[in-house]
Amino acid sequence: MNFLKQDKTYASVLMALAAVTLIIPFCNLITSADSPLHFSAYSVSLIGKYLCFALLGLSLDMVWGYAGILVLGQGAFFALGGYAMGMYLMRQIGTRGVYGNPELPDFMVFLNWSELPWYWYGFENFGFAMLMVFLAPGILAFVFGWLAFRSRVTGVYLSIITQALTYALLLAFFRNEMGFGGNNGLTDFKDILGFNIQSEAVRSMMLLLTGSSLIGALLLCRWIVGSKLGRVVTAIRDQESRVRFLGYRVELFKLWVFVFAAMLAGLAGALYVPQVGIINPSEFSPLNSLEIVIWVAVGGRGTLYGAIIGAVLVNYAKTVLTGLMPDAWLFCLGGAFILVTLLLPDGIVGLLHRRIKPNLTLNASGEQPA
């Protein structure tokens, strides 16, 4: 934990995350509805969603900011983790569905399915579902990455292929024959681990779990990038040919960080679904993956906490602007990306660092800052 002493920004971000994680659920459950300190169930779910997006942005920063691999399909791994959790939640409905079938979800009964598909087996068990939250995106990333990195596909070509991957999954999951609810997706969840998913206690607990997962992921990622493995990955980003010349198998390091980032995104998706109450193929949309890139760029890639800041700020702006000017949001998003690219190439975090460091240097020399 020495990095917390060396970089005060990490400590500040961790303290802010811990405060949000602990204080907001407490205020929601303990304070009365008319108290100024009370957070409504809607606010709790909204903040929980922001934290899920922050975890998703963190996953992209690992693979883009430190490995230099611009993935335009990170939303696919997020959606796969969400579907794995959604399948567990659907199996918990049982006879409480519209058609009262104890085994088949309502959409399967409506489509005249006679039995549960084999790939739905095991999802009545929470442990199995959580395992698939990591394995489903992890296996896909491993197979895709192994083929791509062995072939030395890099740069814009790799980015386009990852975007094609998520678009292919979007089209596949839209089909009713796939057995994932078609364009309606999975919804109408009742409970999780036997607790009512709509209750304020469960919503607060989900926020607590999401915040704790984000803090743990940030610490783990910071430890990784500071290790020998992280230094090699960063060296590959800066001088891949030199690292290869030194004898390192570059494709294996790329594959590792790619799979790790995919599994983090899957965890974010699994935490997201119980809080929003639905998962459908729109989560595979290439536009969603492009938004994730904008979050990281706005916050500042290659910093980890920049991705968290960017994800929260951009999604808060989206919440506000889509309420005020729904048709203008995409223009604002594109404009923000252009401005950041031209004026703030290091993002908000880079701007803050440039403003803070000169003042620290002047103060250390005994001079007064202008």
Side-chain angles (χ1 to χ4, degrees):
M1 295 296 179
N2 290 333
F3 69 89
L4 293 178
K5 298 178 181 179
Q6 299 170 359
D7 191 339
K8 299 299 183 182
T9 311
Y10 270 106
S12 300
V13 171
L14 286 170
M15 289 176 62
L17 290 175
V20 169
T21 301
L22 297 174
I23 294 174
I24 292 179
F26 178 83
C27 291
N28 171 256
L29 295 175
I30 302 302
T31 60
S32 59
D34 57 351
S35 171
L37 298 177
H38 182 76
F39 284 85
S40 66
Y42 169 77
S43 299
V44 170
S45 295
L46 185 63
I47 294 171
K49 186 172 72 170
Y50 291 161
L51 295 182
C52 290
F53 289 152
L55 181 57
L56 178 57
L58 178 65
S59 72
L60 180 64
D61 197 26
M62 277 294 294
V63 71
W64 182 32
Y66 287 93
I69 305 170
L70 177 56
V71 179
L72 297 182
Q74 198 71 4
F77 305 125
F78 175 81
L80 287 175
Y83 265 97
M85 177 55 69
M87 292 166 74
Y88 163 75
L89 295 173
M90 291 297 290
R91 293 301 308 274
Q92 301 307 300
I93 296 175
T95 57
R96 291 172 292 174
V98 175
Y99 298 101
N101 191 299
E103 184 175 7
L104 297 180
D106 284 339
F107 72 87
M108 290 187 183
V109 178
F110 179 78
L111 295 172
N112 295 319
W113 289 50
S114 59
E115 59 182 2
L116 197 69
W118 62 268
Y119 45 83
W120 277 75
Y121 292 154
F123 278 96
E124 67 278 0
N125 182 277
F126 181 77
F128 178 82
M130 286 304 302
L131 180 64
M132 296 309 297
V133 162
F134 293 102
L135 283 183
I139 291 174
L140 176 63
F142 180 83
V143 173
F144 178 88
W146 176 257
L147 296 173
F149 299 137
R150 281 192 65 197
S151 303
R152 299 193 182 183
V153 179
T154 58
V156 66
Y157 303 105
L158 180 63
S159 300
I160 292 173
I161 294 174
T162 57
Q163 191 173 44
L165 172 67
T166 188
Y167 187 66
L169 289 171
L170 168 69
L171 297 179
F173 274 73
F174 258 119
R175 298 176 60 87
N176 288 327
E177 296 84 353
M178 286 287 290
F180 296 107
N183 64 317
N184 294 320
L186 309 177
T187 187
D188 195 30
F189 308 133
K190 305 298 183 184
D191 53 41
I192 180 170
L193 292 175
F195 299 97
N196 182 6
I197 203 169
Q198 300 297 332
S199 69
E200 293 200 0
V202 170
R203 290 176 184 268
S204 296
M205 184 55 66
M206 288 303 306
L207 174 58
L208 184 63
L209 287 174
T210 305
S212 301
S213 299
L214 179 57
I215 292 172
L218 177 59
L219 291 173
L220 176 60
C221 290
R222 183 60 184 81
W223 177 78
I224 290 173
V225 299
S227 66
K228 180 181 178 180
L229 173 62
R231 291 192 292 272
V232 172
V233 168
T234 305
I236 292 172
R237 177 197 66 189
D238 297 334
Q239 290 289 343
E240 180 176 336
S241 58
R242 288 190 179 184
V243 176
R244 194 183 299 276
F245 179 76
L246 290 172
Y248 289 98
R249 296 193 60 182
V250 169
E251 64 275 9
L252 295 184
F253 286 92
K254 284 185 171 183
L255 180 62
W256 184 91
V257 72
F258 186 62
V259 172
F260 175 75
M263 295 172 75
L264 267 188
L267 175 61
L271 293 167
Y272 171 82
V273 169
Q275 298 182 80
V276 299
I278 188 172
I279 179 71
N280 58 39
S282 66
E283 298 296 341
F284 287 104
S285 171
L287 179 60
N288 289 357
S289 293
L290 290 174
E291 280 196 27
I292 303 168
V293 173
I294 295 175
W295 304 345
V296 178
V298 168
R301 71 186 182 102
T303 60
L304 297 179
Y305 54 79
I308 295 174
I309 295 171
V312 173
L313 289 180
V314 173
N315 280 285
Y316 176 75
K318 182 178 183 179
T319 301
V320 174
L321 291 177
T322 51
L324 297 175
M325 301 178 293
D327 297 331
W329 165 244
L330 290 179
F331 296 100
C332 295
L333 186 66
F337 185 65
I338 293 172
L339 289 175
V340 167
T341 303
L342 295 177
L343 304 178
L344 298 173
D346 298 323
I348 294 173
V349 169
L351 175 64
L352 294 176
H353 282 178
R354 287 196 299 273
R355 288 189 175 276
I356 292 173
K357 285 184 178 179
N359 290 337
L360 292 177
T361 303
L362 289 170
N363 289 336
S365 63
E367 300 180 15
Q368 291 296 324

